Amino acid sequence: VQLRSVYTLGEGGGMYAVDPANEHGLPVFDAQVTPATVTGLTPQKVAAAYRFPGTSNGDGQCICIPEFGGGYTSNDLTANGITNTMVDVSVSGGTNNTNFNDSGNLNSSVEVMLDIYCAGLASPKSKLAMYFAPNTMANFVSVLNTAASDTTNCPSTISFSWVAAENYWLIYGYYNSMETALAACVALGITVFCAAGDWGPRGQPNGADFSVAYPAASPYCVGCGGTRLE
C-alpha cells in the first residue's frame, strides 16, 4: 500500500496555484480552467484564519516536510516567492526528483510544491528540511525516526501531507511502530501536523471501508483538514 498525497483540484483548478504559468505541463482536468487565472486562499490568509501570530516569522525554527515522491527546483521557489533556507535530507535513498516528464512524479511534485508554498509563506524565516523517501509505510516510520534523531537540522515541527487509511496501517502491521515513532517525536517537543484528507469517513479516495486518514487520527498528531474557509 502506497501513501497518498493530499491536495484537491479545487473549484477552478486550485492545483495550479503553485505553477501559474504551467511550466511543468500539469494536465488540464477542466477545459474551462486557465491556469494563469486561478485564484485561491494564500497561506497568509489561512494563517490569519487560524490566528497564527502575526509577529511570528519562524526565525530559528526548522520545519520537517516529509515527501514520498516528487521534487522541486530553484525556479519553483523563486516563482512562488519562497525565501526560506532549504535543505534536502535523504531517507532510505530518497531524492529530490525533478523528472517532470514522469507523470506520476509530476503529480507528486504538485504536493511537494504545495507543502513548500504553504509552510514557506506562512513561516518565511523557518528552515525547511525536505525529507525525501521512497513511498512505503516502512519509510514513513523511518522519516519520523530520522527527524527525531536529526541533530543537524533539529526540526521543531513536522508537517505531513501524505496519508493512508488507518485500517491499512493495522492490516499491514505498521500501526504500532508509527505510534511509537510519533510518541518519540512528541516526547522531544516536536509538534506533528498531519493532513486529515479530503475524503470524509473513507480515509482515501473511493475507499470501500469506513476508516479515517492516518496518521492524522493519532492522538500524537494535530489533524489538519478542510479545503475552504467558512
Side-chain angles (χ1 to χ4, degrees):
V1 173
Q2 286 197 322
L3 306 168
R4 292 182 177 273
S5 58
V6 178
Y7 66 84
T8 177
L9 298 182
E11 298 172 15
M15 67 184 294
Y16 293 103
V18 297
D19 187 15
N22 201 13
E23 293 181 359
H24 294 320
L26 296 170
V28 178
F29 291 92
D30 185 339
Q32 298 180 9
V33 171
T34 302
T37 66
V38 169
T39 59
L41 295 172
T42 65
Q44 295 93 328
K45 289 180 180 178
V46 175
Y50 278 90
R51 296 180 174 85
F52 188 78
T55 56
S56 175
N57 58 19
D59 192 22
Q61 303 298 310
C62 175
I63 303 174
C64 162
I65 304 179
E67 303 292 358
F68 301 92
Y72 69 94
T73 68
S74 58
N75 286 339
D76 290 330
L77 302 179
T78 300
N80 287 282
I82 303 299
T83 58
N84 304 69
T85 297
M86 304 288 301
V87 296
D88 293 344
V89 179
S90 176
V91 179
S92 302
T95 61
N96 176 12
N97 188 345
T98 58
N99 178 16
F100 302 127
N101 291 321
D102 181 315
S103 60
N105 191 64
L106 173 62
N107 184 64
S108 296
S109 297
V110 175
E111 183 63 56
V112 173
M113 268 312 302
L114 281 170
D115 292 346
I116 294 172
Y117 176 69
C118 292
L121 294 186
S123 188
K125 293 296 184 180
S126 292
K127 176 194 288 187
L128 303 185
M130 309 299 296
Y131 285 53
F132 287 98
N135 191 339
T136 68
M137 287 181 166
N139 282 326
F140 210 127
V141 178
S142 295
V143 162
L144 286 168
N145 290 332
T146 300
S149 60
D150 187 347
T151 56
T152 299
N153 297 300
C154 301
S156 54
T157 300
I158 300 175
S159 177
F160 275 119
S161 295
W162 298 72
V163 306
E166 185 177 46
N167 59 339
Y168 287 165
W169 294 91
L170 291 165
I171 291 170
Y172 291 95
Y174 287 98
Y175 184 86
N176 289 337
S177 57
M178 274 292 293
E179 287 291 286
T180 299
L182 288 166
C185 289
V186 173
L188 291 170
I190 302 173
T191 304
V192 186
F193 295 92
C194 296
D198 294 318
W199 314 295
R202 298 293 182 180
Q204 64 173 14
N206 304 314
D209 301 321
F210 290 106
S211 179
V212 293
Y214 185 87
S218 170
Y220 298 110
C221 296
V222 180
C224 308
T227 54
R228 64 178 68 178
L229 293 179
E230 299 293 344

